[in-house]
Each structure stands twice: as C-alpha cells, then as structure tokens.
Amino acid sequence: MAEVKKIATRESYGNALAELGKDYPDLVVLDADLAAATKTGIFKKAFPDRHIDCGIAECNMVGIAAGLATTGKIPFVSSFAMFAAGRAFEQVRNSVGYPKLNVKIGATHAGISVGEDGASHQCLEDLALMRTIPGMVVMNPSDDVEAKAAVKAALDHVGPVYIRFGRLAVPVINDKPDYKFEIGKGVVLREGKDVTLVATGLEVSETLEAAEKLAADGIDAKVINIHTIKPLDEDLIVAAAKETGKVVTVEEHSVIGGLGSAVCDCLSEKAPTKVLKIGVNDTFGESGPAVELIKKYGLDAEGIYNKVKAFV
Amino acid sequence: MDTLALKKNANEIRKGIITAVHSAKSGHPGGSLSAADILTYLYFEELNIDPKNPKKEDRDRFVLSKGHIAPGFYSTLAQRGFFPVEDLKTLRHTGSYLQGHPDMKHIPGVDMSSGSLGQGGSAAVGMALSAKLDNKDYRVYCLFGDGEIQEGQVWEASMFAGARKLDNLVFIVDNNGLQIDGKIEDVCSPYPIADKFKAFNFHVIEIDAHDFDQIAAAFKEARETKGQPTAIVAKSIKGKGVSFMENQASWHGAAPNDEQYEQAMKDLEEIGKSL
C-alpha cells in the first residue's frame, strides 16, 4: 500500500490564505506573535502589507479585526484555539458576533494533539464556546483538502466564522475528484446499517479506520464526516439515526458542548436515539507526543473500535 | 458653528438625555451629561458625517467605547438629524431600535456596537488601520470613560496604536472622576492618565471638557499631529447641567423619578435661557 500523504491542517490554513490573497484584495490576516506556528507566515511572505502582527494581545486583535470588518476588509484572526476562542471569547461574542461582523477566526493548535505543550495550550472547549454565539459558523475540517475548502467557503460566506485547525499532520482522505465542500453539509464516507459514527476534524480518519476494524467483526458502521458543527446537518444525522438506530460521536474535544452535544441536542428533539459520545471526558490534557496522547485518551482507531464494540 | 450655538445644542442634547432615561426608567445619565459637550462638538463641528447618508464610505468614524452613555450618544445623533428626537422616549423599551447600549445593526449613525467596556478602542484602531492600509484620509475618534481605562484591553489597543503611529486616531477620556463604586482613585486609580498615554507614544492634550474653545483647539491640534495618535484627557463634571446629579456617583446608572425629572428639566431650561 502506498504511503498516505499527511499534512497538518494549520499548514493548509497558511497555504489557503496565501493562495486566496491574490483574488481577494480585501483579505487581511492578523496574528498574535504566532505566525510561524499558525502558518500565517506563508501569507505574510506573499502579502507582507496585509499581514498584521498584533503582538501578544489576542483580545485587542479580535477587536481590531472587528474594526477592519466595519470598513469592508475581510480579516482572518489567527492564534491558538485556546487564545482565539478561550481568552478572547467575550471579544468574539460582543465585538464580532453581536454586530455580526465579517470576521473569520482561524484557530490552530486545537485539542490534545497540541502534544508536548500540555494542558494549558490544549483547547478542548472551543467548539462548545463558539457554537453558543448566535450566527457563528463553526467548522472543523478533517484534512488538507477540507481545510483549504473551508477557508475558501469562509471567505465567501458573509458573517462570522470560526475554523479549527490542528498542529499534527493528518492523513489526506478527501482527495477525490468529486469532493465538494458546502458549509453545513455533512459527508457520508461509508455506508452501514448497524451504527452511525459521526466524526469531526482529525477524528474522521481514525473513525474510518475503526469502521474497517468493526467490519472485520461483522459490525457494519456508517461513517459521517461533520466538518460544520454549526449549522449542523440535522437532516443527515436524523436520517442516519433512524436508519441505524444507534449513534456514536467522535471528536478531539470535551464531551461537553461540542459535536456530541450538538448531535444530542438535535436527536433528543427530532429522533430520540441512544448516543455514545467519544471525546475527552471532562478532564484536562497533559504533555506528551500527540500520537501517544490520542492513543492514551482513547481517540485513536483502536480506542474508538473498543468503545463502539462495547456500545453496540 | 459658533460657541453659543454649540452650547445651545449641548443643552438640548442634555434635555434629550434626561427625557430618554426618565422614559426608560433606567440608564446612565451621569456620564452622558459629562460627555455631552464633547459629543456636541464632535457631531456638530468635527466629524465629516452626513445624517442623510450615515454609511457614507469615507466618513469619519466615532466609536463610543463607554457604551453605557448611549443616552448621550443617541440624543446627539437625534439632535444632529440621524433619527427623530421623539424616538429617544423609546430608549430601552422592548422592540425599540434604541437598545440599552449602542447597536450598529439597527441605529443610524452608530459605527460600532459597544457596551462591554474596553473593547471600543480596539475596533477604532481597526478602523484607523484600515484607512492607513487603503490610503484614505478619514479619521477615527473613540470616547472612553475614566473608569473604563482600568480595562487592560484599552492599553493593548493603545500600545498597537502608538506602535503603528496611527495619527488618524483620537482617543478621548471623559475624566469625570467617578465610577459606580465611587471615586476612580479610591476604586483602582488609573492616574496619572496623561502620563500613561504618553508612555504609549500618544500625543496628549489635557482640557476642560465643558469649554468649547479648549475642545476645538484640542481637536485641531490632534488633526495637525503627525506620526502618532492623540489622546485628549477631558476633565469633566459627572452629571453636568443637572444640579442634583453633579459630581454624584449615585447618578452613574440611575433614572430620575417624575419629580426629579421635572427638576432636571427646569435646571436645563434655566441654563438654556441664560445662554
């Protein structure tokens, strides 16, 4: 088998910004002293005048982006998820969300796959925080192809958008000629009748692998990639729940407030179904190599396989 | 517009503040009254704006960072013709476009939603930065409360503005000396205010917030200042113009009852007659 190409979605973010910069003259990129890590440095190289380093002051950066947006600019605010969604939450809510300004938040280094930096930098709450803001689009792409498509879709969407990117290189799974990205539309990656596995971000490839293992045991799992947490593709999830009778959500995020909660919010109202939420179980992360942490917290294919097997 | 006309407008704006807050049975008269002369000068003299075309592309921008003095802001906008003065009576009422704090989505002339203290300065910086990026010559003004500058974000914005030499930006501090819990120096002193802005590479001008000649001179000096943003520290009287509200922290966020409303309007009528 050929080696699978792996790219971190933060890299895709920087590349997409640089590629789109030419066609979108109003696109400006803001960073808070992390351009090398968030990969907005790639954009800076191409468009130095449109890259604004705000220094280590994320709340101010979000406010500056709001001001820029009132004048017609399309600012992409970039920092680690912990600081973009966590530290600057109230600025995102009041200076961007409430006035519904056309600000895009590119949040990198989300989840425990931050790795060695440890719990202080491993944001497990961003999806929960961002999806409570009225009008906020919340996306969590699964690979390089999807991450680039999400950046383009965010640019074309008028209004606030939050996109979550990762530090860890992840397999490219969407490099198919018929791949289409639409905000709010989930993607069925595998058909199955016994259980529906709904995954987001880097957990999509792990979940696909888990589905293969389950198949070997005679469990036929349907796999849905939810790249947009909000607005959630409720029709797709309700139909899948009715079809398979059991639903499992998989995310590199707290089990409180993220994809799992969004799916439960939807199903409890529209199609009550037993749901197993796989994620980080109301605990902080820790230091360690990303791949080891994903395994330790049961978020690798093996961990997902074991939990789903016990569930069905 | 001559000083007498400015004073008359400011007095009408103060009446609008009292009317709005009385009708709402809540709101913030103290800081609205202290900032009324600055707001008057900005909207009747300084700002390049058009009430008939509030979104005019290259207009000067104003951000009310101390968003709780919405009654002062709205009364000024109404007096300047952005919307009917009668609408001030709908302030804070369910369904009114005149929200408790400025809402740019629904209020003509409001360039930025505000109210959560400390955030307006950053938005103003973004607007000023945008003008620089596009080589446009509009200017940006932002009004803070003196208690508000306890918020750290104000200084993040100031550091950026100073570092980027945003000379199209003016920060104004309404220095009425009082915040909800008492005197600003007793709560958590932000003094010396002028020195702080100087340290952040601002050109700093200190004025009497109720002297139109000083206000005019300060804004002129700000326009002529190149290579750095300007901070105007305006010493004011909280509750200015209403006898029983002056210098009282308790009138920061309280509405007059019917009797107090009559007295306040009488005070302002008398000031009007004396002009």
Side-chain angles (χ1 to χ4, degrees), chain B residues 220-231:
Chain B
K220 180 169 182 287
E221 192 175 321
R223 272 196 308 280
E224 289 164 354
T225 299
K226 300 298 170 201
Q228 61 183 150
T230 294

PDB file of all heavy atoms in Angstrom, chain B residues 220-231:
ATOM      1  N   LYS B 220      -8.233  70.392  16.827  1.00  0.00           N
ATOM      2  CA  LYS B 220      -7.402  70.978  15.763  1.00  0.00           C
ATOM      3  C   LYS B 220      -5.962  70.480  15.917  1.00  0.00           C
ATOM      4  O   LYS B 220      -5.328  70.058  14.955  1.00  0.00           O
ATOM      5  CB  LYS B 220      -7.459  72.512  15.860  1.00  0.00           C
ATOM      6  CG  LYS B 220      -6.648  73.242  14.818  1.00  0.00           C
ATOM      7  CD  LYS B 220      -6.986  74.731  14.831  1.00  0.00           C
ATOM      8  CE  LYS B 220      -6.235  75.511  13.762  1.00  0.00           C
ATOM      9  NZ  LYS B 220      -4.814  75.700  14.057  1.00  0.00           N
ATOM     10  N   GLU B 221      -5.487  70.520  17.164  1.00  0.00           N
ATOM     11  CA  GLU B 221      -4.122  70.058  17.444  1.00  0.00           C
ATOM     12  C   GLU B 221      -3.964  68.576  17.082  1.00  0.00           C
ATOM     13  O   GLU B 221      -2.937  68.159  16.549  1.00  0.00           O
ATOM     14  CB  GLU B 221      -3.821  70.279  18.935  1.00  0.00           C
ATOM     15  CG  GLU B 221      -2.358  70.115  19.302  1.00  0.00           C
ATOM     16  CD  GLU B 221      -2.102  70.470  20.777  1.00  0.00           C
ATOM     17  OE1 GLU B 221      -2.708  71.452  21.282  1.00  0.00           O
ATOM     18  OE2 GLU B 221      -1.315  69.753  21.418  1.00  0.00           O
ATOM     19  N   ALA B 222      -5.007  67.808  17.348  1.00  0.00           N
ATOM     20  CA  ALA B 222      -4.956  66.376  17.018  1.00  0.00           C
ATOM     21  C   ALA B 222      -4.836  66.181  15.508  1.00  0.00           C
ATOM     22  O   ALA B 222      -4.048  65.353  15.039  1.00  0.00           O
ATOM     23  CB  ALA B 222      -6.212  65.671  17.536  1.00  0.00           C
ATOM     24  N   ARG B 223      -5.619  66.974  14.748  1.00  0.00           N
ATOM     25  CA  ARG B 223      -5.562  66.868  13.281  1.00  0.00           C
ATOM     26  C   ARG B 223      -4.182  67.220  12.757  1.00  0.00           C
ATOM     27  O   ARG B 223      -3.722  66.687  11.762  1.00  0.00           O
ATOM     28  CB  ARG B 223      -6.603  67.789  12.635  1.00  0.00           C
ATOM     29  CG  ARG B 223      -7.968  67.175  12.452  1.00  0.00           C
ATOM     30  CD  ARG B 223      -8.822  67.972  11.474  1.00  0.00           C
ATOM     31  NE  ARG B 223      -8.896  69.397  11.781  1.00  0.00           N
ATOM     32  CZ  ARG B 223      -9.693  69.943  12.698  1.00  0.00           C
ATOM     33  NH1 ARG B 223     -10.499  69.172  13.392  1.00  0.00           N
ATOM     34  NH2 ARG B 223      -9.685  71.241  12.916  1.00  0.00           N
ATOM     35  N   GLU B 224      -3.522  68.152  13.438  1.00  0.00           N
ATOM     36  CA  GLU B 224      -2.210  68.610  12.966  1.00  0.00           C
ATOM     37  C   GLU B 224      -1.060  67.739  13.463  1.00  0.00           C
ATOM     38  O   GLU B 224       0.088  67.935  13.064  1.00  0.00           O
ATOM     39  CB  GLU B 224      -1.999  70.071  13.416  1.00  0.00           C
ATOM     40  CG  GLU B 224      -2.906  71.032  12.642  1.00  0.00           C
ATOM     41  CD  GLU B 224      -3.026  72.407  13.295  1.00  0.00           C
ATOM     42  OE1 GLU B 224      -2.491  72.590  14.417  1.00  0.00           O
ATOM     43  OE2 GLU B 224      -3.669  73.287  12.690  1.00  0.00           O
ATOM     44  N   THR B 225      -1.380  66.797  14.339  1.00  0.00           N
ATOM     45  CA  THR B 225      -0.326  65.940  14.899  1.00  0.00           C
ATOM     46  C   THR B 225      -0.037  64.789  13.943  1.00  0.00           C
ATOM     47  O   THR B 225      -0.927  64.030  13.589  1.00  0.00           O
ATOM     48  CB  THR B 225      -0.763  65.392  16.269  1.00  0.00           C
ATOM     49  OG1 THR B 225      -0.971  66.499  17.148  1.00  0.00           O
ATOM     50  CG2 THR B 225       0.290  64.462  16.857  1.00  0.00           C
ATOM     51  N   LYS B 226       1.209  64.683  13.517  1.00  0.00           N
ATOM     52  CA  LYS B 226       1.589  63.630  12.568  1.00  0.00           C
ATOM     53  C   LYS B 226       2.525  62.618  13.242  1.00  0.00           C
ATOM     54  O   LYS B 226       3.338  62.972  14.078  1.00  0.00           O
ATOM     55  CB  LYS B 226       2.291  64.237  11.341  1.00  0.00           C
ATOM     56  CG  LYS B 226       1.445  65.242  10.561  1.00  0.00           C
ATOM     57  CD  LYS B 226       0.182  64.617   9.971  1.00  0.00           C
ATOM     58  CE  LYS B 226      -0.758  65.683   9.413  1.00  0.00           C
ATOM     59  NZ  LYS B 226      -2.154  65.201   9.300  1.00  0.00           N
ATOM     60  N   GLY B 227       2.369  61.377  12.861  1.00  0.00           N
ATOM     61  CA  GLY B 227       3.302  60.342  13.311  1.00  0.00           C
ATOM     62  C   GLY B 227       2.968  59.717  14.646  1.00  0.00           C
ATOM     63  O   GLY B 227       3.673  58.817  15.101  1.00  0.00           O
ATOM     64  N   GLN B 228       1.892  60.163  15.276  1.00  0.00           N
ATOM     65  CA  GLN B 228       1.448  59.492  16.499  1.00  0.00           C
ATOM     66  C   GLN B 228      -0.035  59.781  16.741  1.00  0.00           C
ATOM     67  O   GLN B 228      -0.553  60.810  16.300  1.00  0.00           O
ATOM     68  CB  GLN B 228       2.297  59.914  17.715  1.00  0.00           C
ATOM     69  CG  GLN B 228       2.247  61.377  18.040  1.00  0.00           C
ATOM     70  CD  GLN B 228       3.156  61.760  19.217  1.00  0.00           C
ATOM     71  OE1 GLN B 228       3.649  62.865  19.253  1.00  0.00           O
ATOM     72  NE2 GLN B 228       3.381  60.870  20.166  1.00  0.00           N
ATOM     73  N   PRO B 229      -0.712  58.854  17.415  1.00  0.00           N
ATOM     74  CA  PRO B 229      -2.119  59.101  17.745  1.00  0.00           C
ATOM     75  C   PRO B 229      -2.216  60.140  18.851  1.00  0.00           C
ATOM     76  O   PRO B 229      -1.229  60.436  19.520  1.00  0.00           O
ATOM     77  CB  PRO B 229      -2.612  57.739  18.246  1.00  0.00           C
ATOM     78  CG  PRO B 229      -1.389  57.021  18.712  1.00  0.00           C
ATOM     79  CD  PRO B 229      -0.234  57.550  17.916  1.00  0.00           C
ATOM     80  N   THR B 230      -3.409  60.702  18.999  1.00  0.00           N
ATOM     81  CA  THR B 230      -3.623  61.716  20.042  1.00  0.00           C
ATOM     82  C   THR B 230      -4.574  61.181  21.106  1.00  0.00           C
ATOM     83  O   THR B 230      -5.549  60.494  20.783  1.00  0.00           O
ATOM     84  CB  THR B 230      -4.232  62.989  19.418  1.00  0.00           C
ATOM     85  OG1 THR B 230      -3.265  63.573  18.531  1.00  0.00           O
ATOM     86  CG2 THR B 230      -4.604  64.016  20.485  1.00  0.00           C
ATOM     87  N   ALA B 231      -4.265  61.511  22.356  1.00  0.00           N
ATOM     88  CA  ALA B 231      -5.204  61.238  23.452  1.00  0.00           C
ATOM     89  C   ALA B 231      -5.610  62.578  24.048  1.00  0.00           C
ATOM     90  O   ALA B 231      -4.749  63.408  24.368  1.00  0.00           O
ATOM     91  CB  ALA B 231      -4.569  60.361  24.514  1.00  0.00           C
TER      92      ALA B 231
END
